[in-house]
Amino acid sequence: MSESDVTRDGIRGARPDRDALVGKGMGNGERRGRKGGKGRKGDQSMVPRAEFTSYYGRPVLNPPTWSARDVAGYLFLGGLAGAGSVLAAGAELTGRPVMARALKVSSVAALAGSTAALIHDLGRPERFVNMLRVFKPTSPMSVGSWLLMVYGPMAGAAAASDVARRLPRAGRAATVGAGLLGPAVASYTAVLAANTAIPAWHDGYREMPFVFIGSAATAASGMALLVSPVAENAPARGVAVLGTALENAAVKAMERRVGVVAETYREGRAGRLMRAAEALSAAGALGGALLGRRSRTAAALSGAALLAASVCTRFGVFHAGIRSAEDPKYTVLPQRERLDAQRQRPDAQRDRPQDG
C-alpha cells in the first residue's frame, strides 16, 4: 500500500506498480452530524471532503504528442509571415522597393511552410479543409483557419504583382490588405495556445500575445536586415529594438505572474532555449541599431541572430508547455492556490469594517 502527493518540489511518495489506497484522500474519517443539528451517534457523512492525491505520480493531463518541428515551426513561420507583411506594406508606402519585395516573398514562403506544418500535424490535408466548413467565432482554431484563408491570397497576390511587375494598383491594394491582417496572423496562435489546458500556455494567457507579437516582430525585422540594402533598413532596425524589448519584457512579466509554472520556462531544454533567445535578440537588436546602418555584413549577421532568437522563443514555449503537461504539480498547485485565494476572499470581505 502506498500513497503519493503533488508538492512544490515534485511528486512525494510515488511508488509505481503498487496497489491503490481505495478511498484515501476522501475525508478524515470523522463522524459528522446533520446540518443544523448534532446528529446521531454513528452517522457517517455521505459526501466526504475530497482532497487531491496524485495517482502514483501519473500526469493529470495527457501530454501532447505533437511534434516540435510541426507545432513550433508553425508558430514561428506564422509570426514571420504576418509581421513580414506589416513591414512590407510600410516599406512600400515609404519608398523602399527592395525591402518590400523581399518581405512579400518571404511572407508567402513562410505562410506556405506554416500551413504545411499545420497540415502535417493534423495528419491528413482534409482535416484542414474540414475546419473551413463552419465559422465559429468562439473557436480560435476556426477563426485562425479562416484568417489564413483570407490572408494567404492577399499575401500571394502582393508578392506575385511585385515580382512580375504587373497590376501595380492591385498589387498595392493586396499589400495593404495583407499588412492590415498581419498582426492578427502573427498573434492568433497565442490565443490558440492559451486556450488549451497546457498549464505553461494557459496560465500565461495575459502575456502570451505580447510574447508572440514581439517574437514575430523580431523575426520579420531580422529577415528585413538580412535581405535589404543598408539604405533601406532603417525601419527594420527600429522594429528590431521594439520587438526585442516587447518580447523580453512580456516573458519576464509572464514568469513573475504564473508562479511555480515559471519553472518550465527557466529550467531544462525550454530554459536553455529561452535564455538563448534573450541573448540572441539582444545581440541582434544592438548590432542592427549600432552597426546595421554602416555595414551590410553587420546588418545581415544581426538579422540572422534575430531570426534565430525567434526560433528559440517558439521552441522554448513549446517545450515549456510539454513539460508542464507531463508534471502534475504544474496543474495541481496553481489550482490549489486559486482555490485558496477564492476561499480567503470572502473572509477578507466579511472581516472588513462596514462603512457608516
Side-chain angles (χ1 to χ4, degrees):
M1 303 290 281
S2 66
E3 63 176 316
S4 62
D5 194 11
V6 179
T7 69
R8 188 171 291 272
D9 297 326
I11 304 300
R12 184 181 62 195
R15 299 178 65 185
D17 302 327
R18 301 299 297 268
D19 294 337
L21 289 174
V22 179
K24 183 65 177 176
M26 301 297 292
N28 54 14
E30 294 180 353
R31 294 171 178 174
R32 300 177 183 177
R34 289 173 297 183
K35 184 177 181 181
K38 296 181 179 179
R40 294 181 302 178
K41 185 176 181 181
D43 286 350
Q44 294 285 341
S45 173
M46 300 301 294
V47 185
R49 185 171 64 91
E51 295 179 357
F52 177 84
T53 55
S54 175
Y55 190 74
Y56 304 122
R58 295 178 63 84
V60 177
L61 303 175
N62 288 325
T65 58
W66 301 322
S67 163
R69 182 184 59 186
D70 289 342
V71 175
Y74 161 66
L75 301 178
F76 165 72
L77 293 172
L80 175 61
S85 289
V86 177
L87 266 181
E92 178 156 322
L93 295 176
T94 56
R96 293 177 170 85
V98 178
M99 176 188 287
R101 186 177 306 117
L103 288 174
K104 291 175 190 176
V105 173
S106 70
S107 291
V108 171
L111 178 64
S114 176
T115 305
L118 175 60
I119 291 174
H120 187 262
D121 179 69
L122 292 174
R124 294 199 301 268
E126 56 266 29
R127 288 177 177 170
F128 179 77
V129 178
N130 287 338
M131 290 191 294
L132 301 175
R133 294 191 304 175
V134 297
F135 178 73
K136 191 175 181 181
T138 56
S139 169
M141 195 70 209
S142 177
V143 173
S145 300
W146 278 103
L147 181 61
L148 292 178
M149 288 303 297
V150 176
Y151 165 78
M154 288 189 179
S161 173
D162 202 334
V163 172
R165 302 182 187 281
R166 299 291 180 87
L167 304 173
R169 291 185 178 178
R172 173 162 289 192
T175 300
V176 173
L180 291 175
L181 292 175
V185 173
S187 60
Y188 88 90
T189 48
V191 181
L192 189 63
N195 201 42
T196 66
I198 306 297
W201 301 345
H202 180 77
D203 292 0
Y205 70 94
R206 291 181 182 172
E207 297 85 4
M208 195 67 77
F210 298 102
V211 175
F212 277 39
I213 290 175
S215 179
T218 300
S221 61
M223 178 62 73
L225 287 170
L226 189 63
V227 300
S228 303
V230 172
E232 296 186 7
N233 71 10
R237 288 186 268 115
V239 172
V241 174
L242 292 176
T244 297
L246 176 62
E247 177 187 344
N248 291 328
V251 169
K252 298 300 181 187
M254 182 172 65
E255 290 179 352
R256 285 195 299 270
R257 192 180 62 79
V258 299
V260 68
V261 180
E263 292 177 0
T264 61
Y265 288 98
R266 294 170 177 160
E267 300 175 355
R269 181 183 298 179
R272 293 191 294 272
L273 287 167
M274 297 302 285
R275 288 191 291 275
E278 184 176 0
L280 286 168
S281 61
L286 286 175
L290 299 177
L291 305 174
R293 69 183 65 184
R294 294 190 295 268
S295 169
R296 181 73 185 84
T297 301
L301 290 174
S302 299
L306 291 168
L307 282 167
S310 183
V311 171
C312 290
T313 296
R314 303 311 177 112
F315 276 79
V317 169
F318 174 81
H319 286 294
I322 297 300
R323 186 188 170 196
S324 70
E326 292 174 342
D327 193 332
K329 77 174 181 178
Y330 299 122
T331 302
V332 175
L333 291 182
Q335 290 179 348
R336 286 177 174 170
E337 292 172 355
R338 286 192 290 268
L339 186 60
D340 291 341
Q342 290 176 358
R343 288 171 175 167
Q344 293 173 1
R345 196 173 301 128
D347 294 340
Q349 292 176 352
R350 186 177 61 248
D351 296 339
R352 186 183 304 167
Q354 297 295 323
D355 296 336

